[in-house]
Amino acid sequence: MKRRLWGRLLIIGGLALTGTRGWAEATPAQKDLGMTMLRRCKTMLQDEYYDPTLGGFDLEGRCQEAEKRIATAADNAAIFRIVAEVFLNLGDPHTRFIAPPRAARVDYGWQAVTVGDGCYVYRLVAKSDAVKKGLAFGDRIESVNGLAANRQTWPILAYLFNSLDPQGGLRVVAVSPAGERRQLDLQAEVKPRARVLDPNSAEYWQLVLRAEADIDRWDDQFAWVDDVLVWRLRRFDNDPASLNEGAGRLAKAKSLVLDLRGNDGGSKEKLLEMLALIFDHPVQVGTIRTRGKEAPLAAAPAARPFRGMVIAVVDAQTGAAAEICARMLQLEDRGVVVGDRTAGDLRSGKFVISMVGTNGVPFAMAVTTARMVMRDGQTLDGGVAPDLPLIPTGADMARRSDPALAKALAQVAKKFTPEEAGKLLPWKLPAGEL
C-alpha cells in the first residue's frame, strides 16, 4: 500500500500545481540526461542496497516503464518526478533520488511537522507571505496543492515540493486550533542561486551565518528541576566530545528526563556511549544487517553508569539511534517512554554522487546500506509505542506549552503545568524566525 501511495502522490503532485512554476518544455537533451540519471541510479541501487533481492521489487520493469514516460515528459520537473517515483516505490524512506540543484533557492517561509497522525506548523519566517496571510503556529495543515497532508504522506510532500519540484507558491488548506478552516495561497521567496559564491559577497556571509545559526540550534540543552536533569539530546553526533557535557551533569543527578524529540539518530558509536551511561550491565541491542553480512550490536556499561530513574520523551521525529535508545529502556525495563509514536526508521545509508552532461550536472542517490533488527526480532517499522502516550494539540503548540515534558517530569519530580514545562528548554531560533 505504501509503495503505491508514494508513487501516486508524485504523479498527482505534478498535476495539482498552482501554476506558479513556469518551467520550460523539456528538450531532447534534457530527456537523454534524465534517462542517464535513471540508469545510473539503478546501478547505484543494485551495487549498494543492503538487500540484494530488493525485497522482490521489480527494478528492471519499473525502470523500463519510467524510460517510456521520460520520453514524453513535459518538463525537467516531470523528469525528476518520474525518476524519483521508481525508487520511492521501493518503500524505503532512506532510499531516494536526489535531483540536481536548481538555479534558484525557494523558501516557503513555513514548515510543518508530523504530530500524531496530522501535520502542524512549527516554523515561520517573520516577514514571509505565510505570516502575512495568517498562517500561525499550531495550525493543522489539511492539504497542500490539493494533496492530503498527514503522517503517512507528509515526507513525500516535503520531498516533492522542497527537492523535486520547488514552487513559487503553494495552495494550503489550514485549520486553526479553534477549528477555523481556510484556504491560503502562500507565495514563496525565490532567489537566484549563484553557481560560485564570492567569499566577499553578502550572499556568502548570509549562508555562513545561517549555517552557524543552524549549528547553534543543534547544541544539547540542559535544565535542572531539583535533582532531576532534563537533557535535550539533539543528535547522536559523531563529535568525540558530543556526550561529555551531559555525562558530567548526569553524575550529579538523581533522575534523568532524556528529551529525544526531533532527534533523528546519528552515530551508532554515540548510541552505544549513551547506553553505556544509563545501563549498569552489558545489553544486547540487536543485529545490523548489511549486504551479505550480519553483525551484533551490544553495549558495555561505563565505569560509573547512572543508576537513577530514566524517563525518555519522544515524538514522530525521533528516529534511528534515538528510537533504539528509547526502545532499549522498554526492553530492559529500565525507564518509561512518554510522548508520540516514533518515526519507525531503523535504517542507515549513504549518498552516492554522480554527474551527467558536458557541463557536469550533479545528482545523487541516497541508498540504504544497513538495517537494524532489535533483539526481539522487531524492525520498529511502526515506530516505538510510548508507555505513556501524549500527543500535543494545536492549541498546545500555539501557546508553546509542553504537556509531554510536563508528564515526564511528573514521574520523577514536582508537578509542572504544560506552560511551565514549555519554558524550561526554549528552542533557539535563527534570526528572522518567530
Side-chain angles (χ1 to χ4, degrees), residues 32-51:
D32 286 343
L33 290 179
M35 290 188 188
T36 302
M37 289 182 193
L38 173 65
R39 292 164 188 161
R40 289 195 191 170
C41 288
K42 172 187 171 184
T43 300
M44 293 173 190
L45 187 67
Q46 291 170 325
D47 290 347
E48 302 288 348
Y49 197 66
Y50 80 99
D51 176 7

PDB file of all heavy atoms in Angstrom, residues 32-51:
ATOM      1  N   ASP A  32      17.391  12.935 -22.486  1.00  0.00           N
ATOM      2  CA  ASP A  32      18.519  11.999 -22.512  1.00  0.00           C
ATOM      3  C   ASP A  32      19.256  12.011 -21.167  1.00  0.00           C
ATOM      4  O   ASP A  32      19.651  10.956 -20.647  1.00  0.00           O
ATOM      5  CB  ASP A  32      19.496  12.356 -23.634  1.00  0.00           C
ATOM      6  CG  ASP A  32      18.960  12.004 -25.017  1.00  0.00           C
ATOM      7  OD1 ASP A  32      18.001  11.204 -25.086  1.00  0.00           O
ATOM      8  OD2 ASP A  32      19.481  12.542 -26.006  1.00  0.00           O
ATOM      9  N   LEU A  33      19.453  13.205 -20.616  1.00  0.00           N
ATOM     10  CA  LEU A  33      20.105  13.298 -19.307  1.00  0.00           C
ATOM     11  C   LEU A  33      19.269  12.610 -18.234  1.00  0.00           C
ATOM     12  O   LEU A  33      19.801  11.945 -17.341  1.00  0.00           O
ATOM     13  CB  LEU A  33      20.345  14.762 -18.937  1.00  0.00           C
ATOM     14  CG  LEU A  33      21.414  15.509 -19.733  1.00  0.00           C
ATOM     15  CD1 LEU A  33      21.515  16.954 -19.258  1.00  0.00           C
ATOM     16  CD2 LEU A  33      22.771  14.830 -19.618  1.00  0.00           C
ATOM     17  N   GLY A  34      17.940  12.785 -18.300  1.00  0.00           N
ATOM     18  CA  GLY A  34      17.052  12.131 -17.342  1.00  0.00           C
ATOM     19  C   GLY A  34      17.171  10.621 -17.395  1.00  0.00           C
ATOM     20  O   GLY A  34      17.212   9.941 -16.360  1.00  0.00           O
ATOM     21  N   MET A  35      17.242  10.072 -18.619  1.00  0.00           N
ATOM     22  CA  MET A  35      17.383   8.618 -18.755  1.00  0.00           C
ATOM     23  C   MET A  35      18.738   8.154 -18.239  1.00  0.00           C
ATOM     24  O   MET A  35      18.852   7.087 -17.625  1.00  0.00           O
ATOM     25  CB  MET A  35      17.190   8.223 -20.216  1.00  0.00           C
ATOM     26  CG  MET A  35      15.757   8.370 -20.699  1.00  0.00           C
ATOM     27  SD  MET A  35      15.511   7.670 -22.345  1.00  0.00           S
ATOM     28  CE  MET A  35      13.826   8.223 -22.691  1.00  0.00           C
ATOM     29  N   THR A  36      19.775   8.962 -18.462  1.00  0.00           N
ATOM     30  CA  THR A  36      21.095   8.612 -17.938  1.00  0.00           C
ATOM     31  C   THR A  36      21.087   8.602 -16.414  1.00  0.00           C
ATOM     32  O   THR A  36      21.650   7.699 -15.780  1.00  0.00           O
ATOM     33  CB  THR A  36      22.159   9.603 -18.455  1.00  0.00           C
ATOM     34  OG1 THR A  36      22.169   9.581 -19.877  1.00  0.00           O
ATOM     35  CG2 THR A  36      23.545   9.239 -17.942  1.00  0.00           C
ATOM     36  N   MET A  37      20.448   9.609 -15.809  1.00  0.00           N
ATOM     37  CA  MET A  37      20.327   9.635 -14.348  1.00  0.00           C
ATOM     38  C   MET A  37      19.610   8.387 -13.847  1.00  0.00           C
ATOM     39  O   MET A  37      20.032   7.754 -12.869  1.00  0.00           O
ATOM     40  CB  MET A  37      19.562  10.884 -13.904  1.00  0.00           C
ATOM     41  CG  MET A  37      20.313  12.181 -14.075  1.00  0.00           C
ATOM     42  SD  MET A  37      19.313  13.584 -13.465  1.00  0.00           S
ATOM     43  CE  MET A  37      20.235  14.958 -14.117  1.00  0.00           C
ATOM     44  N   LEU A  38      18.513   8.043 -14.501  1.00  0.00           N
ATOM     45  CA  LEU A  38      17.736   6.872 -14.094  1.00  0.00           C
ATOM     46  C   LEU A  38      18.594   5.614 -14.136  1.00  0.00           C
ATOM     47  O   LEU A  38      18.608   4.821 -13.176  1.00  0.00           O
ATOM     48  CB  LEU A  38      16.523   6.722 -15.008  1.00  0.00           C
ATOM     49  CG  LEU A  38      15.686   5.446 -14.835  1.00  0.00           C
ATOM     50  CD1 LEU A  38      15.041   5.439 -13.457  1.00  0.00           C
ATOM     51  CD2 LEU A  38      14.636   5.337 -15.920  1.00  0.00           C
ATOM     52  N   ARG A  39      19.330   5.427 -15.222  1.00  0.00           N
ATOM     53  CA  ARG A  39      20.136   4.208 -15.365  1.00  0.00           C
ATOM     54  C   ARG A  39      21.256   4.159 -14.336  1.00  0.00           C
ATOM     55  O   ARG A  39      21.563   3.097 -13.783  1.00  0.00           O
ATOM     56  CB  ARG A  39      20.698   4.134 -16.785  1.00  0.00           C
ATOM     57  CG  ARG A  39      19.623   3.901 -17.843  1.00  0.00           C
ATOM     58  CD  ARG A  39      20.122   4.208 -19.241  1.00  0.00           C
ATOM     59  NE  ARG A  39      19.024   4.172 -20.218  1.00  0.00           N
ATOM     60  CZ  ARG A  39      19.081   4.731 -21.417  1.00  0.00           C
ATOM     61  NH1 ARG A  39      20.190   5.386 -21.800  1.00  0.00           N
ATOM     62  NH2 ARG A  39      18.055   4.646 -22.237  1.00  0.00           N
ATOM     63  N   ARG A  40      21.870   5.303 -14.079  1.00  0.00           N
ATOM     64  CA  ARG A  40      22.951   5.308 -13.076  1.00  0.00           C
ATOM     65  C   ARG A  40      22.399   5.068 -11.674  1.00  0.00           C
ATOM     66  O   ARG A  40      23.021   4.377 -10.864  1.00  0.00           O
ATOM     67  CB  ARG A  40      23.713   6.629 -13.137  1.00  0.00           C
ATOM     68  CG  ARG A  40      24.559   6.746 -14.385  1.00  0.00           C
ATOM     69  CD  ARG A  40      25.571   7.862 -14.261  1.00  0.00           C
ATOM     70  NE  ARG A  40      26.216   8.147 -15.523  1.00  0.00           N
ATOM     71  CZ  ARG A  40      26.998   9.196 -15.729  1.00  0.00           C
ATOM     72  NH1 ARG A  40      27.227  10.060 -14.751  1.00  0.00           N
ATOM     73  NH2 ARG A  40      27.559   9.392 -16.917  1.00  0.00           N
ATOM     74  N   CYS A  41      21.243   5.650 -11.378  1.00  0.00           N
ATOM     75  CA  CYS A  41      20.628   5.418 -10.071  1.00  0.00           C
ATOM     76  C   CYS A  41      20.263   3.949  -9.892  1.00  0.00           C
ATOM     77  O   CYS A  41      20.413   3.383  -8.800  1.00  0.00           O
ATOM     78  CB  CYS A  41      19.378   6.288  -9.910  1.00  0.00           C
ATOM     79  SG  CYS A  41      19.735   8.041  -9.673  1.00  0.00           S
ATOM     80  N   LYS A  42      19.807   3.335 -10.960  1.00  0.00           N
ATOM     81  CA  LYS A  42      19.502   1.902 -10.937  1.00  0.00           C
ATOM     82  C   LYS A  42      20.756   1.108 -10.563  1.00  0.00           C
ATOM     83  O   LYS A  42      20.714   0.214  -9.701  1.00  0.00           O
ATOM     84  CB  LYS A  42      18.969   1.473 -12.303  1.00  0.00           C
ATOM     85  CG  LYS A  42      18.802  -0.024 -12.479  1.00  0.00           C
ATOM     86  CD  LYS A  42      18.443  -0.337 -13.931  1.00  0.00           C
ATOM     87  CE  LYS A  42      18.482  -1.820 -14.214  1.00  0.00           C
ATOM     88  NZ  LYS A  42      18.239  -2.125 -15.647  1.00  0.00           N
ATOM     89  N   THR A  43      21.884   1.449 -11.207  1.00  0.00           N
ATOM     90  CA  THR A  43      23.144   0.746 -10.913  1.00  0.00           C
ATOM     91  C   THR A  43      23.594   0.997  -9.474  1.00  0.00           C
ATOM     92  O   THR A  43      24.053   0.074  -8.787  1.00  0.00           O
ATOM     93  CB  THR A  43      24.240   1.205 -11.891  1.00  0.00           C
ATOM     94  OG1 THR A  43      23.829   0.903 -13.228  1.00  0.00           O
ATOM     95  CG2 THR A  43      25.554   0.516 -11.602  1.00  0.00           C
ATOM     96  N   MET A  44      23.451   2.233  -9.020  1.00  0.00           N
ATOM     97  CA  MET A  44      23.820   2.552  -7.632  1.00  0.00           C
ATOM     98  C   MET A  44      23.023   1.691  -6.652  1.00  0.00           C
ATOM     99  O   MET A  44      23.566   1.160  -5.676  1.00  0.00           O
ATOM    100  CB  MET A  44      23.551   4.028  -7.345  1.00  0.00           C
ATOM    101  CG  MET A  44      24.428   5.003  -8.099  1.00  0.00           C
ATOM    102  SD  MET A  44      23.848   6.713  -7.820  1.00  0.00           S
ATOM    103  CE  MET A  44      24.814   7.625  -9.019  1.00  0.00           C
ATOM    104  N   LEU A  45      21.733   1.555  -6.909  1.00  0.00           N
ATOM    105  CA  LEU A  45      20.886   0.760  -6.024  1.00  0.00           C
ATOM    106  C   LEU A  45      21.306  -0.704  -6.054  1.00  0.00           C
ATOM    107  O   LEU A  45      21.436  -1.349  -5.001  1.00  0.00           O
ATOM    108  CB  LEU A  45      19.424   0.907  -6.449  1.00  0.00           C
ATOM    109  CG  LEU A  45      18.387   0.258  -5.525  1.00  0.00           C
ATOM    110  CD1 LEU A  45      18.353   0.979  -4.180  1.00  0.00           C
ATOM    111  CD2 LEU A  45      17.007   0.275  -6.167  1.00  0.00           C
ATOM    112  N   GLN A  46      21.533  -1.231  -7.245  1.00  0.00           N
ATOM    113  CA  GLN A  46      21.924  -2.632  -7.365  1.00  0.00           C
ATOM    114  C   GLN A  46      23.259  -2.913  -6.682  1.00  0.00           C
ATOM    115  O   GLN A  46      23.459  -3.984  -6.106  1.00  0.00           O
ATOM    116  CB  GLN A  46      22.006  -3.024  -8.840  1.00  0.00           C
ATOM    117  CG  GLN A  46      20.658  -3.071  -9.544  1.00  0.00           C
ATOM    118  CD  GLN A  46      20.782  -3.220 -11.046  1.00  0.00           C
ATOM    119  OE1 GLN A  46      21.706  -2.680 -11.660  1.00  0.00           O
ATOM    120  NE2 GLN A  46      19.851  -3.939 -11.658  1.00  0.00           N
ATOM    121  N   ASP A  47      24.167  -1.946  -6.729  1.00  0.00           N
ATOM    122  CA  ASP A  47      25.504  -2.147  -6.163  1.00  0.00           C
ATOM    123  C   ASP A  47      25.564  -1.938  -4.648  1.00  0.00           C
ATOM    124  O   ASP A  47      26.393  -2.553  -3.970  1.00  0.00           O
ATOM    125  CB  ASP A  47      26.503  -1.188  -6.820  1.00  0.00           C
ATOM    126  CG  ASP A  47      26.786  -1.538  -8.268  1.00  0.00           C
ATOM    127  OD1 ASP A  47      26.422  -2.647  -8.692  1.00  0.00           O
ATOM    128  OD2 ASP A  47      27.359  -0.684  -8.974  1.00  0.00           O
ATOM    129  N   GLU A  48      24.703  -1.049  -4.127  1.00  0.00           N
ATOM    130  CA  GLU A  48      24.887  -0.602  -2.745  1.00  0.00           C
ATOM    131  C   GLU A  48      23.796  -1.043  -1.768  1.00  0.00           C
ATOM    132  O   GLU A  48      24.043  -1.072  -0.561  1.00  0.00           O
ATOM    133  CB  GLU A  48      24.948   0.941  -2.709  1.00  0.00           C
ATOM    134  CG  GLU A  48      26.059   1.554  -3.564  1.00  0.00           C
ATOM    135  CD  GLU A  48      27.436   1.333  -2.974  1.00  0.00           C
ATOM    136  OE1 GLU A  48      27.529   0.908  -1.800  1.00  0.00           O
ATOM    137  OE2 GLU A  48      28.428   1.599  -3.680  1.00  0.00           O
ATOM    138  N   TYR A  49      22.601  -1.358  -2.243  1.00  0.00           N
ATOM    139  CA  TYR A  49      21.482  -1.613  -1.333  1.00  0.00           C
ATOM    140  C   TYR A  49      21.766  -2.826  -0.439  1.00  0.00           C
ATOM    141  O   TYR A  49      22.320  -3.834  -0.889  1.00  0.00           O
ATOM    142  CB  TYR A  49      20.201  -1.833  -2.123  1.00  0.00           C
ATOM    143  CG  TYR A  49      18.940  -1.695  -1.289  1.00  0.00           C
ATOM    144  CD1 TYR A  49      18.584  -0.470  -0.754  1.00  0.00           C
ATOM    145  CD2 TYR A  49      18.126  -2.789  -1.035  1.00  0.00           C
ATOM    146  CE1 TYR A  49      17.431  -0.332   0.013  1.00  0.00           C
ATOM    147  CE2 TYR A  49      16.970  -2.662  -0.280  1.00  0.00           C
ATOM    148  CZ  TYR A  49      16.625  -1.425   0.240  1.00  0.00           C
ATOM    149  OH  TYR A  49      15.486  -1.299   1.000  1.00  0.00           O
ATOM    150  N   TYR A  50      21.375  -2.717   0.841  1.00  0.00           N
ATOM    151  CA  TYR A  50      21.734  -3.753   1.817  1.00  0.00           C
ATOM    152  C   TYR A  50      21.132  -5.118   1.491  1.00  0.00           C
ATOM    153  O   TYR A  50      21.681  -6.153   1.855  1.00  0.00           O
ATOM    154  CB  TYR A  50      21.316  -3.310   3.221  1.00  0.00           C
ATOM    155  CG  TYR A  50      19.853  -3.514   3.535  1.00  0.00           C
ATOM    156  CD1 TYR A  50      19.414  -4.622   4.258  1.00  0.00           C
ATOM    157  CD2 TYR A  50      18.892  -2.606   3.094  1.00  0.00           C
ATOM    158  CE1 TYR A  50      18.071  -4.805   4.541  1.00  0.00           C
ATOM    159  CE2 TYR A  50      17.557  -2.788   3.370  1.00  0.00           C
ATOM    160  CZ  TYR A  50      17.148  -3.888   4.092  1.00  0.00           C
ATOM    161  OH  TYR A  50      15.813  -4.074   4.362  1.00  0.00           O
ATOM    162  N   ASP A  51      19.992  -5.121   0.789  1.00  0.00           N
ATOM    163  CA  ASP A  51      19.319  -6.369   0.435  1.00  0.00           C
ATOM    164  C   ASP A  51      19.445  -6.578  -1.072  1.00  0.00           C
ATOM    165  O   ASP A  51      18.763  -5.910  -1.849  1.00  0.00           O
ATOM    166  CB  ASP A  51      17.845  -6.287   0.838  1.00  0.00           C
ATOM    167  CG  ASP A  51      17.056  -7.519   0.419  1.00  0.00           C
ATOM    168  OD1 ASP A  51      17.667  -8.491  -0.073  1.00  0.00           O
ATOM    169  OD2 ASP A  51      15.813  -7.513   0.580  1.00  0.00           O
TER     170      ASP A  51
END
